[in-house]
Amino acid sequence: MASDDPSKLRSHVWFNGREYYNFSRRANLRSLGFNRDIFKGKPVIGICNSWSELNNCNAHLRQVADAVKRGVWEAGGFPLEFPTISLGEQFMKPTTMLFRNLMAMDVEESIRANPLDGVVLLCGCDKTTPAQLMGAASADIPAIFVTGGPSLSGNYKNKPFGTGTDGRKIFDLYRTGQVSEEEMIEIEGCMVRSAGHCTVMGTASTMASITEALGMTLPGCAAIPAVDSRRYAMAELSGKRIVSMVREDLKPSKILTREAFENAVMVDMAIGGSTNAVVHLLAIAGRAGVKLTLEDFDAISRKTPFLVNVRPSGEHLMEEFFHAGGVPVVMKELLPLLHRDSITVAGSTIGENVASAECFNRDVIRALDAPLHPTGGTVVLGGNLCPRGAVIKPIAASPHLCKHRGKAYVFENYQEMHDSVDSMDLPIDKDTVLVMKNGGPIGAPGFPEWGHIPMPKVLLAQGVSDCVRISDARMSGTSFGTVVLHVTPESAIGGPLAVVRTGDEIELDVEARKLNLLISEEEMTSRLAAFKPAPPHYKRGYGKLFLDHVTQADEGCDFDFLHRLEE
Ligand code: FES
């Protein structure tokens, strides 16, 4: 309920009163140099900052925080910035995904433990956005997101060069001797031109778009380039808005409804979002107490056209998506299919927010009746090789491989794959199905982005640029190819992937949503019965907590004890 009564503020308990601790807290806050007026009923707004020099994608967020502060002060609030762990996709080992839940716990408890009435969350790189969404949903005080935006578009020899996507393509040419060492050194300096997240529709751009679609940012936030002046203006507006949200008591639990998640999945399908979004959305929904399943993704995928012509599934980069109108235009196109009455942090509905959105480039954002593809970007598979599901992004796959039968060549783990994939003696051909085990949450551990098994050199030399690849790992959202991911249950806990042998036949049929290992039921049962798990990767510390409590991909890989409990 809307309230201007300062005694109703959550922070009131910390600072107002005649107890020793009230006095002591006031004294310690004043040590930061504030005068006593700050205690006159101003809502305390936390700015949860994932800035870090170990995370280049989020390296501009101190400046974004300054703009948020301007807005908070303007609106009569009192801003206090605080750090959390940050997860730099490019640097962290073994994988940032191992630490997404740790960051989500850090965000949740930092919000809950401190005298905050509302919070503005600053994120950007792949895992920082879902981790903050998970933490904010669990803490459930008024919260608004300012995503960091894509970095300046890469450019090499006067051609746009997308982070990840084009880097991988050029690296394949380098591996096969078609690009020189000198050129690669020059490209290093051309690919990532500023702070900000990847410039294609990878996981970071997808999660930013999804955050906007969920209603957790102001309209138009997702696609503004990281260093564009309009991102700072957006941050200032978000700082102003959170103060009103505190007065309106507009919490994540009022925004993150089942309808909001359906909207987000639909936008994910229309933008050709990263397969990682499936895992993250399942986890966020679990925190919000919303039942969302892989079946929901597939049902929404079947009825949502793919509209956004951005790499890796299209031609352009995020900057063109921004200039074409960004997420508001996509949502306006989707309005006949969306829940238009879903409320957003703006205090208005999705339908109201996008009513005046205008498309400025139809090559980048297609109309609903002229899509790039009639159905959505991600497909959920079933079958005896993935009884609890697997995902594939057919719009980034080779159409001729989407219905395919071939003999498996098995790598028992990532190291084995890495050590042999460039061997010219690898006994495979264009029809071989490459299978890699032990890439899941428990097996790797941490569910890394190993699923984009590099194309073997022996095939590249024959001019074969894609083949069917299957694993229980994830794949970078910037990647492409006929790649089946998130096979669940994973091999390390005895899922059927564990018992695939080189020479077995595998059948993939994307249209029919099937992934099958073509052995008899008796043979499958006897192989599964003989399965023995490897010893755990961790015996202590956070790693052990992760192994003991992480859920499988079809449940979002959150910890089992962090799902919202039934009231
Ligand atoms: Fe941070 Fe791609 S590496 S978004």
Side-chain angles (χ1 to χ4, degrees):
M1 203 209 310
S3 171
D4 283 325
D5 180 354
S7 70
K8 295 275 190 298
L9 290 173
R10 188 170 175 267
S11 60
H12 187 84
V13 177
W14 271 262
F15 298 121
N16 293 80
R18 304 180 69 80
E19 300 291 330
Y20 169 74
Y21 287 110
N22 302 125
F23 152 75
S24 172
R25 286 169 189 146
R26 289 194 295 268
N28 280 286
L29 196 54
R30 287 179 69 180
S31 78
L32 299 181
F34 296 109
N35 73 54
R36 205 168 188 286
D37 283 354
I38 56 170
F39 301 116
K40 289 190 177 158
K42 285 187 168 63
V44 182
I45 304 300
I47 301 173
C48 178
N49 201 342
S50 57
W51 169 88
S52 168
E53 285 183 336
L54 290 171
N55 185 351
N56 59 294
C57 306
N58 294 14
H60 58 311
L61 294 184
R62 296 297 308 280
Q63 292 94 307
V64 174
D66 285 342
V68 172
K69 284 179 193 172
R70 282 202 309 267
V72 174
W73 285 122
E74 276 172 53
F78 172 37
L80 288 172
E81 184 183 348
F82 64 95
T84 64
I85 181 176
S86 190
L87 308 176
E89 197 63 30
Q90 299 297 334
F91 300 148
M92 290 187 88
K93 284 182 177 290
T95 165
T96 49
M97 187 62 183
L98 182 68
F99 306 109
R100 184 201 62 181
N101 298 347
L102 180 66
M103 181 171 172
M105 290 169 81
D106 183 354
V107 169
E108 174 183 350
E109 302 305 342
S110 294
I111 295 171
R112 183 177 291 123
N114 280 298
L116 304 178
D117 299 301
V119 63
V120 183
L121 298 110
L122 311 184
C123 50
C125 195
D126 290 14
K127 308 301 180 300
T128 57
T129 306
Q132 287 190 345
L133 280 164
M134 292 159 71
S138 292
D140 203 28
I141 69 168
I144 189 168
F145 279 71
V146 182
T147 50
S151 63
L152 292 175
S153 297
N155 196 295
Y156 177 60
K157 293 191 173 170
N158 203 31
K159 289 207 180 73
F161 198 93
T163 337
T165 306
D166 295 309
R168 281 189 179 80
K169 284 182 184 159
I170 207 96
F171 202 78
D172 276 348
L173 297 178
Y174 169 68
R175 284 168 63 215
T176 50
Q178 298 169 69
V179 168
S180 70
E181 186 82 32
E182 290 69 35
E183 275 183 288
M184 287 306 283
I185 289 169
E186 196 183 336
I187 291 165
E188 268 176 24
C190 301
M191 193 166 81
V192 190
R193 288 178 51 228
S194 73
H197 60 68
C198 289
T199 54
V200 298
M201 194 56 82
T203 305
S205 301
T206 303
M207 290 311 300
S209 303
I210 278 175
T211 309
E212 186 171 332
L214 282 168
M216 292 300 291
T217 70
L218 292 179
C221 180
I224 307 170
V227 293
D228 192 302
S229 55
R230 286 163 283 188
R231 178 149 300 282
Y232 298 95
M234 175 61 76
E236 183 179 325
L237 286 173
S238 304
K240 275 175 95 163
R241 177 61 196 148
I242 187 68
V243 178
S244 303
M245 287 175 68
V246 170
R247 299 200 170 109
E248 294 160 17
D249 197 28
L250 184 52
K251 299 174 181 173
S253 54
K254 295 181 182 167
I255 297 169
L256 297 175
T257 59
R258 164 85 193 178
E259 289 75 20
F261 280 97
E262 288 182 6
N263 285 347
V265 174
M266 191 166 285
V267 167
D268 177 32
M269 296 303 162
I271 62 178
S274 159
T275 45
N276 291 320
V278 177
V279 180
H280 297 320
L281 269 168
L282 290 169
I284 300 159
R287 296 301 191 96
V290 169
K291 190 157 172 48
L292 191 70
T293 64
L294 283 178
E295 289 68 39
D296 292 320
F297 281 84
D298 199 53
I300 293 171
S301 173
R302 286 173 192 269
K303 66 178 182 188
T304 309
F306 168 45
L307 302 178
V308 174
N309 190 12
V310 170
R311 298 175 203 190
S313 307
E315 296 165 38
H316 300 284
L317 296 178
M318 284 299 287
E319 207 164 318
E320 282 84 58
F321 180 53
F322 168 61
H323 293 306
V327 174
V329 170
V330 177
M331 295 192 86
K332 189 174 183 187
E333 287 301 323
L334 294 173
L335 264 187
L337 306 169
L338 286 172
H339 300 285
R340 60 171 69 211
D341 295 330
S342 290
I343 197 78
T344 70
V345 289
S348 45
T349 65
I350 289 287
E352 290 164 345
N353 290 353
V354 306
S356 59
E358 200 179 333
C359 183
F360 300 107
N361 189 337
R362 276 293 172 210
D363 186 44
V364 179
I365 307 176
R366 302 296 170 90
L368 191 63
D369 58 2
L372 289 153
H373 193 270
T375 55
T378 304
V379 157
V380 178
L381 303 169
N384 73 352
L385 192 48
C386 54
R388 284 168 55 186
V391 300
I392 185 170
K393 196 170 172 184
I395 54 171
S398 303
H400 72 282
L401 291 172
C402 286
K403 188 170 167 60
H404 181 80
R405 191 188 266 225
K407 287 201 187 316
Y409 184 85
V410 176
F411 303 109
E412 288 299 322
N413 53 48
Y414 176 80
Q415 199 57 48
E416 188 181 310
M417 181 281 292
H418 181 266
D419 293 347
S420 55
V421 75
D422 277 347
S423 162
M424 295 307 278
D425 298 328
L426 211 59
I428 59 173
D429 61 31
K430 66 178 179 28
D431 295 322
T432 302
V433 175
L434 297 179
V435 172
M436 187 178 69
K437 302 178 186 175
N438 290 303
I442 305 274
F447 208 14
E449 293 184 337
W450 291 345
H452 182 254
I453 301 166
M455 278 300 291
K457 221 172 184 174
V458 63
L459 294 184
L460 288 175
Q462 292 167 24
V464 179
S465 59
D466 193 12
C467 68
V468 176
R469 290 161 265 179
I470 299 173
S471 77
D472 45 10
R474 294 179 305 113
M475 170 173 94
S476 164
T478 64
S479 296
F480 48 86
T482 312
V483 185
V484 177
L485 303 151
H486 312 183
V487 168
T488 309
E490 64 172 300
S491 55
I493 61 168
L497 189 72
V499 302
V500 181
R501 295 175 185 164
T502 293
D504 286 344
E505 267 210 310
I506 291 179
E507 182 182 40
L508 168 69
D509 188 339
V510 175
E511 181 70 30
R513 306 310 202 236
K514 287 286 172 223
L515 180 67
N516 283 314
L517 178 63
L518 302 178
I519 59 174
S520 69
E521 235 179 282
E522 296 74 46
E523 176 67 10
M524 175 73 92
T525 309
S526 115
R527 288 192 197 180
L528 287 173
F531 170 80
K532 286 197 178 46
H537 286 276
Y538 300 109
K539 292 195 174 126
R540 63 167 296 281
Y542 174 74
K544 176 161 170 47
L545 179 80
F546 184 93
L547 294 181
D548 288 350
H549 292 283
V550 71
T551 58
Q552 289 285 287
D554 60 335
E555 295 176 328
C557 297
D558 198 2
F559 293 154
D560 49 12
F561 59 85
L562 291 172
H563 296 166
R564 177 163 295 186
L565 299 172
E566 300 289 330
E567 310 246 314

